Amino acid sequence: MATPTRYGSDLVVDLMRAVGIEHVALNPGATYRGLHDSLVNYGGNRDPELILTTHEEIAVALAHGYAKAKGRPMAAIVHDIVGLQHASMAIFNAFCDRAPVLVIGATGPMDATRRRPWIDWIHTALVQGTQVRDYVKLDDQPASVASIPESFLRAWRLARTEPQGPVYLCLDAGLQEQPLERAVPVPDAARFQPATAPHADPRAIDEAARLLVEARFPLILVESLGRSADAVAPLCRLAEHLGAPLVDLSAESQGRPSVPGHHPLDMSGARHEVVGDADVVLALDVTSFLTALGETDRSTREVRLLNQGARIIAISLDDYALRSWAHTFQSLVPVDLPIAADAALALPGLLAAVEDRLKRDARGAERRARADRIAARHKTLRDEWRATANLERSLRPLAPSALAAEIWEVIKDEDWVLGNGTAKGWARRLWDWQPGRSYGGSGGAGLGYGYPAALGVALAHRGSGKLCLNLQSDGDMLYVVSGLYTAAHHRLPLLTVMFNNRTYGNDEEHQDAVAKARGRPVENKVIGIRIDDPAPDFARIAQGFGVHAEGPIDAAEAIGPALRRAVRIVKEEGRPALVDVITRP
Ligand SMILES: Cc1ncc(C[n+]2csc(CCOP(=O)(O)OP(=O)(O)O)c2C)c(N)n1
C-alpha cells in the first residue's frame, strides 16, 4: 500500500508532540488551514487538543494563564495579519508578565504566484512578525519546510529560557500545504532544553549578606518572586532570621505573589509604615521600585519618596529582559548592589550566607524585638481588616470586602486556586492567602485578560480536584465576554464571581481626582464611564453561552447559597459557573 502523502504542516504537529504541547488555543483562519487540518486529521485532535476561542486575544490570554499554572507553555494559533492584531494586546501582557506562550501564526503564501486574488494579498505582510517584534522574545518565519524544525525548536527553547516570554512563529501558508517528497526528521527535543538560569556571583551574595546582617532595619521587597514556588520557604526563613518586614508589591503591580498573607512579618498592607524606617532594602525580582519606595498623588502624578537614604540590594533578571519600545523597565533608581541573577535561585545561597554571619552576631535580641513589634502590628492590621469586612457587610451595594468574606466562607475548606483577580486586595487580606495558590495579574495592565487567563488556569488544573476561582471585574469581562463560549464548549471547570460595580471604577476615580483638582463638577465623573444604562445582565449573558449562572445578587445573605450551587456545578459536573454580584462603584 502506498504511504499516504505528508504535508509541511504535519511536521509542525510532529514537533508539537515532540516537545509535549498538550493544548492549542485557536481562532480559525485560512492562512493556517493546512496546520488546522494536520492537527485534526493527522494528529487526531489529541496531544495537542484544539481549544476553540472566539477571539485571538482570548486564545493568547488563555495560553498565558495556562503557562503560569502549568509551568510550561501551550500554543495559541492566530490567523495572519488580522488575527495577530487581535492577539497583540494579550501578547503584550504575556511579555510584561514574562509568561512563555508559543504564538503560531501564518501568512502568505510568500510565493506570490500561489496567492489567491485579494484576500491572500491584503493578509500578507513583509515581515509579519514586525507587528509584535517589540514585545516577543523572538519572531521567526521559516522559508522552507526543512527549516521549520530549527525555527520551532529555537522558539520553544527561548520562550522557556529565563527571563521567559512569548515567541511568535509565522508559518507560510504555502509551506504548510506543501506535499513532502521525503520525511523531514524531527530532532530529539530533549537536546533543545532551555539553558539553566543565571546564578548569582557568590562574592556579591556574601556582600549582600553582610549588608543585611549589619543593617539597623532591613526590609525585604518582592514583586514577582512568586514566578518560582520554591522561593516562598527560603524567603520567609530569611525574613525570620533578619527580623525584617516583608512587603509584597504583587497586588499593586500585578506581579506574582510570594508572601503568605498570615506570615507575622508580612507588612504588605502597611508598606508606608516600614519603608521609611529601612536602612537596607533587599529587592527580589522587583522592577517597579517606586511603587514600593514612593507614594503617588493621583491628581498631580507627583511621586513623594518615602525613603531616599536606604542602601539597595537588587537581585533580578531585569537587565536581561530589557526592550526599548515600551518603558516596561520602570524608573531608574540608584542601586548599591545590583545582582543579575534569578532571585529564586539566589535565595538559598543568600540565606546560608546570612545564617553563617548571624552565628557571629550579637544583635539577636534586637532582631527578635523588632520581629515581635512587626508581628504585633501585623496582627492588628488583620484584626482591622476583619472588622472592616464585618462592618461593611450591611452596605448596599455590597463592598468588595464583604463579598470577599462571603466567598471565603464557601471555599475555605476547598483545595482552591485563584486564576484571576484580587477582590480589590481583600482576598489577600481576609483569606488564608498562600502565594502558590494564585498566579498574579496580567503584567501589562491590558484589560481583557482576566476571564480567558482564568480559563487557562482551569484548563491547566482540569482533573486535579482543585477548585479554580476567578474574581472578575465587569469592565475587564466585557472585552472578552465571548470567552464564556470556550468555557462552556470545553467544559472548563471555573467558578467566576463577578465583582460587578457597573463602572470602569479605576477611571471613575481618575475623573473624580481631575474634576476636584480643576474645580469642576465631580458628579460628571460617571459620564462615559458607568456601565449601567442598561446594566448588562451577566447571568443571562453567561446562560446564553451555556454557562450555569445566577444573579444579579445584591444581598450578602444570597451570596453563600448561590456560590454553593455554583461550586457543585464546577466540582461535580466539571462545568463552568458564574455568580454575578453587584458591588459598590
Ligand atoms: C485594553 C485597555 N483599555 C483600557 C484600559 C484603561 N483602564 C484601566 S483600568 C480600567 C477600568 C477597569 O474596569 P473594571 O475592569 O470594571 O474594574 P474596576 O476598576 O471597576 O474595578 C480601564 C478602562 C486598560 N488598562 N486596558
Side-chain angles (χ1 to χ4, degrees):
M1 207 170 80
T3 331
T5 308
R6 302 270 300 272
Y7 298 88
S9 53
D10 293 345
L11 172 64
V12 181
V13 175
D14 289 339
L15 287 161
M16 286 181 178
R17 280 218 172 126
V19 300
I21 292 176
E22 292 170 350
H23 302 284
V24 169
L26 58 82
N27 181 251
T31 37
Y32 73 83
R33 63 185 196 179
L35 179 56
H36 199 147
D37 168 74
S38 295
L39 285 160
V40 174
N41 293 316
Y42 174 69
N45 195 21
R46 277 209 322 273
D47 299 321
E49 175 201 3
L50 301 187
I51 303 290
L52 173 58
T53 69
T54 51
H55 193 297
E56 292 81 356
E57 181 171 14
I58 296 174
V60 175
L62 190 150
H64 179 172
Y66 175 96
K68 289 198 277 187
K70 197 80 174 179
R72 49 183 288 121
M74 59 181 272
I77 315 184
V78 301
H79 188 33
D80 54 38
I81 292 182
V82 287
L84 188 58
Q85 286 186 74
H86 264 180
S88 61
M89 173 66 259
I91 296 173
F92 180 73
N93 276 338
F95 177 75
C96 293
D97 202 21
R98 296 192 196 157
V101 177
L102 177 63
V103 184
I104 297 181
T107 191
M110 295 314 288
D111 177 352
T113 63
R114 298 189 55 204
R115 283 184 205 160
R116 297 169 297 160
W118 188 63
I119 189 74
D120 281 349
W121 288 83
I122 54 171
H123 284 181
T124 295
L126 195 71
V127 170
Q128 196 160 284
T130 56
Q131 254 191 94
V132 292
R133 186 164 290 170
D134 283 312
Y135 42 96
V136 292
K137 285 189 73 178
L138 175 87
D139 68 275
D140 199 7
Q141 186 172 318
S144 66
V145 172
S147 66
I148 289 177
E150 171 160 351
S151 289
F152 185 97
L153 290 169
R154 181 179 290 109
W156 176 250
R157 182 176 182 277
L158 269 178
R160 294 175 308 142
T161 302
E162 295 288 354
Q164 297 185 338
V167 291
Y168 175 65
L169 190 61
C170 186
L171 299 172
D172 183 317
L175 295 184
Q176 294 174 53
E177 295 180 25
Q178 189 173 303
L180 301 184
E181 279 162 19
R182 66 188 80 84
V184 177
V186 174
D188 177 4
R191 301 186 69 195
F192 297 91
Q193 294 303 312
T196 54
H199 279 256
D201 175 351
R203 288 164 306 180
I205 287 295
D206 197 51
E207 175 62 2
R210 184 185 71 76
L211 285 168
L212 287 166
V213 170
E214 289 178 5
R216 179 186 45 75
F217 191 106
L219 165 74
I220 303 179
L221 287 182
V222 290
E223 187 174 16
S224 288
L225 187 65
R227 285 181 179 124
S228 163
D230 300 340
V232 178
L235 173 70
C236 293
R237 268 208 303 284
L238 183 66
E240 288 153 19
H241 284 323
L242 292 167
L246 286 159
V247 172
D248 191 337
L249 303 171
S250 60
E252 288 171 82
S253 67
Q254 309 195 342
R256 310 264 187 98
S258 55
V259 177
H262 57 73
H263 194 282
L265 292 169
D266 173 38
M267 287 296 282
S268 310
R271 165 179 69 83
H272 51 283
E273 293 179 23
V274 287
V275 165
D277 288 340
D279 62 335
V280 174
V281 173
L282 172 66
L284 299 168
D285 218 336
V286 172
T287 307
S288 183
F289 280 90
L290 292 193
T291 299
L293 304 177
E295 265 189 337
T296 310
D297 183 312
R298 202 186 253 276
S299 47
T300 62
R301 297 173 187 267
E302 207 173 302
V303 183
R304 186 176 68 85
L305 285 178
L306 299 168
N307 186 323
Q308 302 200 51
R311 292 173 73 76
I312 295 183
I313 306 159
I315 310 181
S316 84
L317 290 174
D318 274 18
D319 288 348
Y320 297 134
L322 207 91
R323 285 298 175 86
S324 307
W325 182 66
H327 287 192
T328 55
F329 39 71
Q330 299 287 328
S331 178
L332 182 68
V333 297
V335 171
D336 303 278
L337 184 53
I339 303 175
D342 184 307
L345 285 181
L347 255 179
L350 179 60
L351 180 64
V354 164
E355 282 170 346
D356 189 48
R357 282 181 177 270
L358 285 176
K359 283 184 205 145
R360 305 186 292 279
D361 184 85
R363 289 161 57 224
E366 190 186 312
R367 284 193 188 86
R368 279 191 296 279
R370 182 171 56 234
D372 289 346
R373 269 200 319 278
I374 295 168
R377 179 65 186 122
H378 170 88
K379 185 175 174 311
T380 51
L381 278 171
R382 288 186 76 81
D383 291 344
E384 281 164 23
W385 290 330
R386 272 191 291 273
T388 303
N390 266 335
L391 209 68
E392 293 188 335
R393 195 164 189 271
S394 56
L395 294 177
R396 294 286 177 281
L398 221 63
S401 62
L403 177 49
E406 292 294 333
I407 298 170
W408 180 241
E409 279 309 306
V410 175
I411 63 152
K412 64 186 177 197
D413 296 324
E414 301 285 345
D415 183 8
W416 58 274
V417 289
L418 184 57
N420 165 62
T422 67
K424 295 269 175 230
W426 284 100
R428 191 178 193 285
R429 291 182 199 118
L430 301 178
W431 300 7
D432 177 14
W433 182 260
Q434 303 289 348
R437 290 183 184 271
S438 105
Y439 302 101
S442 66
L447 294 175
Y449 164 85
Y451 193 74
L455 288 179
V457 173
L459 176 64
H461 286 299
R462 189 162 63 174
S464 70
K466 290 189 191 300
L467 174 66
C468 185
L469 293 167
N470 172 28
L471 309 179
Q472 179 65 57
S473 62
D474 52 330
D476 183 56
M477 181 70 167
L478 286 170
Y479 290 84
V480 283
V481 76
S482 63
L484 288 158
Y485 178 74
T486 300
H489 178 66
H490 288 286
R491 291 179 176 59
L492 297 178
L494 175 67
L495 170 55
T496 294
V497 183
M498 296 293 306
F499 280 61
N500 181 3
N501 59 8
R502 293 181 170 160
T503 189
Y504 293 109
N506 179 61
D507 297 84
E508 197 165 317
E509 287 173 37
H510 277 289
Q511 296 317 124
D512 182 280
V514 171
K516 281 178 182 152
R518 295 180 175 180
R520 292 179 177 172
V522 173
E523 58 277 17
N524 286 346
K525 69 182 180 183
V526 298
I527 298 173
I529 299 233
R530 284 274 165 104
I531 318 171
D532 62 354
D533 180 19
D537 183 338
F538 285 98
R540 283 175 65 193
I541 293 169
Q543 287 158 1
F545 280 107
V547 170
H548 166 90
E550 293 191 39
I553 294 173
D554 57 6
E557 308 71 59
I559 295 169
L563 283 179
R564 286 195 176 83
R565 287 188 288 273
V567 167
R568 201 188 60 72
I569 295 283
V570 173
K571 280 183 66 178
E572 290 172 22
E573 298 184 23
R575 287 196 292 128
L578 179 146
V579 177
D580 180 22
V581 184
I582 307 307
T583 54
R584 303 181 80 67

